[in-house]
Amino acid sequence: MKCTRNSLLVTSVAHKSISHVEEIPSTHIYSLNMTCDDFQLGLKEHKWKRNITICPVLKAYHPKTPSTDIPPPEEVTSFYQNIANSAQGDKQVMMTLLESYQPLCDNVTRLTELLAQAVERRVRTQPTHCIHCQTKCAHCKTGILFSGGIDSTVIALLAHRYVPPTEPIDLLNVAFEKNQNYNVPDRITGQSSLQELITLCPDRQWNFVEINITRKELEQERSQRIKDVIYPLDTVLDDSLGCAVWFAARGRGTLESCDYTSSARILLLGMGADELLGGYTRHRTILRHCSNDWAALRAQLEHEVLNIPRRNLGRDNRVVCDHGRQSRTPFLDETVVGFLLGLSSWQR
C-alpha cells in the first residue's frame, strides 16, 4: 500500500520503481476513513483483543511474553544430560532413551495429532483436478517445498496419509549452481530424506523434482521478476528466500533425468517450524551466551513468531501465487501455534 495525503494505492504486487510502498501485515483488520482529508490519518488498524470470544484461538498469536520462563526441573536436566552421555551419537540408543520419558512422548503425540489435522485440512480442501486439467484427474495436485529438513520431511510423511494413494506427491528440491555443480546441502539432505520416505511409504509415488538453477538464470529472473514480487521487502535474506521459493513454486526441473513441470495446485511449506521450535543456530547461541536463560530464548522465539506475518507471509504468498499455485503452511495452523506457544521453551 502507498498512502499519501491526497492519494491511495492498494495493490497486491508493486513494481520496485514505485517508492514508499508499505506492506500491510496480516496481523490485524484495517479500515480507511474515505472522508478524511488526509488518507494517512484515515488508516486505522484494529488489533485482536485478548478477551476475544468469537475466535479464542486467535489469542495464540498474541501471547503475553512472560518476564521469566520456568526452567526445566533438575531431574529433567539430568535426564537429557544422561542421554547425551549414553547415546554417544547412536540414534537408536537416543530414541530409546527419549521414548522412556513420558511427558516428552505426550507432547510429541499431541503435536503430531494437531499437525496431522492441519495437513489434512490443507490437502483435502482443494479441487479434484490439477493445475493443467479442467476435470477430475489422477495427476499430482499436492507439492511440497522439500529441502530434506525435518520440517518438510514431516509434512511429506503426514501428507501421505491424506493424498489419495494413486496420486503422486511432488517433492520440489531447489539447488543453485555452486562451482559448476548442484551437489549443495539441500540436494544432499533432500535425497537422503527421500530414501527415508520411500522406506516408510513404499507404495507412494514420490516425485523428487530436481530444480537446478544456473547463475545466469538466477540473475535474470531475480532482476526481471523476483525483485518486483518480493517488493517492498528488499533485504539479502528476503532476496535469498524469495528466489528459492519462487523457483520451487515454478515447479520446473527434472524427474529421473527427464524434463518435468509440476501439476500441483497447492504447495505445502514448512514455514514457522524453526521459529516455533527453536530450530535456528541463533537459538542455541542464546542459551550458550546467556547461561541457559530460558526466558531470553522464549522472548526471542515469540518475537520471531509474531514477526512472521510481516516478514514472511505476504512475500511467500506473492512468490508462490506468481505461478498460479497456492501456498499452505501447516505449522502456522492456529491450533499448532497455540499448543507450541503454551509450552515452556525448554519443552519445545
Side-chain angles (χ1 to χ4, degrees):
M1 185 186 77
K2 181 177 181 179
C3 190
T4 64
R5 179 177 177 82
N6 300 313
S7 65
L8 174 69
L9 172 65
V10 179
T11 178
S12 57
V13 180
H15 193 275
K16 57 182 179 290
S17 63
I18 304 175
S19 60
H20 306 300
V21 173
E22 180 181 359
E23 181 156 348
I24 303 298
S26 55
T27 52
H28 314 112
I29 293 176
Y30 297 85
S31 65
L32 180 67
N33 184 355
M34 301 296 290
T35 64
C36 187
D37 292 336
D38 188 339
F39 281 146
Q40 290 178 312
L41 299 177
L43 183 65
K44 183 179 181 180
E45 64 180 29
H46 305 271
K47 296 184 179 181
W48 303 117
K49 296 181 179 179
R50 296 189 187 280
N51 61 350
I52 191 169
T53 56
I54 187 171
C55 188
V57 77
L58 288 173
K59 291 189 292 184
Y61 283 94
H62 294 273
K64 293 182 179 179
T65 303
S67 57
T68 59
D69 193 12
I70 300 174
E74 182 62 33
E75 61 268 22
V76 174
T77 303
S78 299
F79 174 77
Y80 284 119
Q81 187 60 54
N82 289 336
I83 289 179
N85 295 335
S86 302
Q88 294 293 320
D90 189 316
K91 294 182 180 179
Q92 189 58 49
V93 172
M94 182 176 291
M95 286 300 300
T96 300
L97 292 172
L98 287 173
E99 289 170 355
S100 68
Y101 184 52
Q102 193 58 45
L104 173 63
C105 293
D106 292 342
N107 285 336
V108 170
T109 298
R110 183 56 178 157
L111 174 59
T112 303
E113 291 173 352
L114 294 174
L115 192 57
Q117 293 168 8
V119 171
E120 180 182 15
R121 281 191 289 270
R122 286 154 178 80
V123 166
R124 289 186 169 173
T125 309
Q126 63 167 314
T128 57
H129 55 279
C130 74
I131 200 170
H132 299 143
C133 297
Q134 300 296 320
T135 58
K136 184 177 180 179
C137 66
H139 301 143
C140 171
K141 304 176 190 68
T142 303
I144 299 170
L145 270 64
F146 192 74
S147 65
I150 190 170
D151 50 357
S152 59
T153 305
V154 167
I155 287 177
L157 187 61
L158 293 176
H160 166 71
R161 297 183 184 181
Y162 307 111
V163 172
T166 57
E167 288 184 13
I169 296 177
D170 284 352
L171 306 177
L172 305 170
N173 182 271
V174 176
F176 294 102
E177 180 185 6
K178 184 176 182 180
N179 298 326
Q180 297 183 330
N181 72 72
Y182 301 96
N183 196 32
V184 297
D186 279 3
R187 178 59 47 79
I188 296 172
T189 56
Q191 292 170 335
S192 175
S193 296
L194 170 65
Q195 294 307 311
E196 290 194 46
L197 289 173
I198 292 174
T199 300
L200 294 171
C201 315
D203 296 330
R204 170 69 62 184
Q205 180 181 336
W206 299 103
N207 290 340
F208 187 75
V209 185
E210 297 186 3
I211 302 173
N212 297 330
I213 308 301
T214 65
R215 291 186 179 182
K216 180 180 179 180
E217 184 178 17
L218 172 61
E219 291 304 321
Q220 178 178 320
E221 297 294 355
R222 171 191 280 147
S223 61
Q224 295 182 2
R225 190 82 177 183
I226 300 174
K227 281 188 175 295
D228 289 327
V229 178
I230 68 173
Y231 183 74
L233 303 182
D234 58 1
T235 67
V236 173
L237 182 61
D238 289 315
D239 177 78
S240 175
L241 295 177
C243 287
V245 175
W246 191 88
F247 283 109
R250 188 175 66 174
R252 192 169 73 208
T254 59
L255 176 61
E256 297 178 350
S257 301
C258 296
D259 291 343
Y260 178 84
T261 299
S262 175
S263 59
R265 277 188 168 274
I266 67 166
L267 299 181
L268 300 178
L269 283 66
M271 183 197 303
D274 289 315
E275 290 85 351
L276 285 163
L277 295 165
Y280 292 123
T281 302
R282 60 177 175 268
H283 299 142
R284 294 191 293 274
T285 301
I286 288 175
L287 292 179
R288 286 200 301 266
H289 291 181
C290 299
S291 301
N292 288 335
D293 187 345
W294 294 98
L297 176 59
R298 184 185 185 94
Q300 177 65 25
L301 293 176
E302 292 184 347
H303 168 74
E304 292 179 9
V305 170
L306 294 177
N307 207 31
I308 287 176
R310 182 180 297 275
R311 295 295 305 143
N312 301 72
L313 287 180
R315 179 198 66 207
D316 290 353
N317 184 62
R318 292 193 299 274
V319 167
V320 174
C321 288
D322 196 40
H323 300 289
R325 309 182 201 272
Q326 185 181 74
S327 63
R328 298 188 177 180
T329 51
F331 278 101
L332 295 182
D333 187 273
E334 290 91 342
T335 60
V336 175
V337 173
F339 171 71
L340 290 175
L341 291 185
L343 298 176
S344 299
S345 53
W346 64 267
Q347 290 176 305
R348 300 190 221 173

